[in-house]
Amino acid sequence: MAEAIAILALLFVAFVALGVYVTVKAVKAAKRGVDRTITQARRTVEDTTLRAKSYAPGGVTAELAQLRLSLRTSMRATQDALEAGVAEDASLKESLELFRRLSAHGHELDEDLKRLERDPDRAGVAAQLGELRERTERITHSAESLRWAARDRARKFADDDLASLSAQIDVEAGALRHWAGREEDDLSWPEAAAGQASAQTWPVEADAQPGTGAPQGGGAASDADVPKAITAQDPRQQTFYSWQKSTRPETTN
């Protein structure tokens, strides 16, 4: 009885632990979903704000907004391309690692641009625009190089696979169109077999009529070819020699 109670207690504890584990996993998944939604919403708001600022008349604020928008758009597109491609092409892992190192410089530049947007010294900010523009172009150029290289690689693999598939389809289509040749072979087979049968030759004995020494073809056979019957010798014409015994006459009782 005590053993049964212990087993039931262990089962209860196991079910409780399993329930807690499932609940924690569900809460974490929900939290990740909420965080992802908040991040996407924040990103959308920031992009919309930067796009609105970039449309403003020329000035330091508009220039900074354009640089941030260009940087964020390029980095996000490259990240999406590499993360989507690494699932099918493991060789992109190194490219993804390089992009993560590049992202550190991109985030640093974005923070600098965001801080300069709130800087009241517009003259000092304007003096730094050239250097900020160069940094942005270098980072976006590197990101675009990785992105286009990954896309070209994926397109090359797709073209090679399509070419191989097209070749296999052409071979299969050609094989399926060979019904005409097979039909001609099937129709001509009996005649060919008959011709082969008529061309065969047989021994003379098979063609000869029973009781005759000549073949059916009507050709005359020579005396040497015709077998002769074996006849017994006549005793009256047999030659006797001195060393042979005479034949004893048969007696009848």
Side-chain angles (χ1 to χ4, degrees):
M1 186 64 181
E3 294 178 355
I5 295 175
I7 293 174
L8 291 177
L10 290 176
L11 290 176
F12 177 76
V13 172
F15 280 120
V16 170
L18 181 61
V20 172
Y21 174 77
V22 172
T23 303
V24 171
K25 294 290 289 184
V27 170
K28 288 184 177 179
K31 184 178 183 298
R32 286 194 301 268
V34 172
D35 294 341
R36 190 182 303 111
T37 302
I38 294 175
T39 302
Q40 292 176 353
R42 185 185 298 112
R43 183 184 304 167
T44 302
V45 172
E46 290 180 355
D47 291 344
T48 303
T49 303
L50 291 175
R51 194 171 289 107
K53 290 181 179 180
S54 64
Y55 292 153
V60 177
T61 303
E63 183 72 16
L64 294 174
Q66 291 176 3
L67 292 178
R68 289 190 63 194
L69 187 61
S70 175
L71 176 65
R72 292 162 65 91
T73 303
S74 178
M75 298 296 288
R76 190 178 303 131
T78 303
Q79 181 179 4
D80 294 341
L82 293 178
E83 289 180 350
V86 75
E88 300 178 357
D89 188 359
S91 61
L92 293 179
K93 290 182 179 180
E94 185 175 356
S95 299
L96 187 59
E97 183 62 27
L98 292 175
F99 173 75
R100 289 171 181 169
R101 294 173 56 187
L102 182 65
S103 296
H105 295 277
H107 287 297
E108 182 181 358
L109 176 59
D110 187 66
E111 292 296 330
D112 292 341
L113 294 173
K114 186 187 298 185
R115 185 177 63 255
L116 292 175
E117 285 180 351
R118 300 186 297 267
D119 195 326
D121 187 5
R122 294 305 179 185
V125 174
Q128 300 179 22
L129 285 178
E131 188 267 335
L132 294 172
R133 190 181 299 110
E134 182 181 358
R135 287 176 61 189
T136 304
E137 290 176 356
R138 290 177 60 185
I139 294 175
T140 55
H141 176 73
S142 298
E144 290 173 357
S145 297
L146 287 175
R147 182 171 72 251
W148 286 110
R151 289 178 178 177
D152 292 342
R153 181 181 179 86
R155 184 168 58 252
K156 176 62 177 176
F157 287 163
D159 292 341
D160 292 344
D161 184 69
L162 179 59
S164 177
L165 179 61
S166 299
Q168 294 178 6
I169 291 176
D170 291 340
V171 172
E172 181 65 18
L176 292 176
R177 290 192 179 96
H178 283 176
W179 67 83
R182 288 199 295 267
E183 289 179 355
E184 292 177 359
D185 294 341
D186 294 342
L187 292 175
S188 62
W189 182 82
E191 287 80 358
Q196 293 177 0
S198 62
Q200 293 178 354
T201 57
W202 302 94
V204 177
E205 288 79 5
D207 295 335
Q209 291 292 339
T212 64
Q216 292 182 355
S222 62
D223 295 337
D225 296 335
V226 178
K228 297 180 180 180
I230 300 175
T231 57
Q233 296 182 357
D234 188 357
R236 294 173 298 178
Q237 298 179 358
Q238 186 175 3
T239 304
F240 293 94
Y241 298 95
S242 59
W243 60 80
Q244 292 179 341
K245 295 181 178 181
S246 61
T247 304
R248 178 181 297 182
E250 296 181 359
T251 61
T252 58
N253 294 327

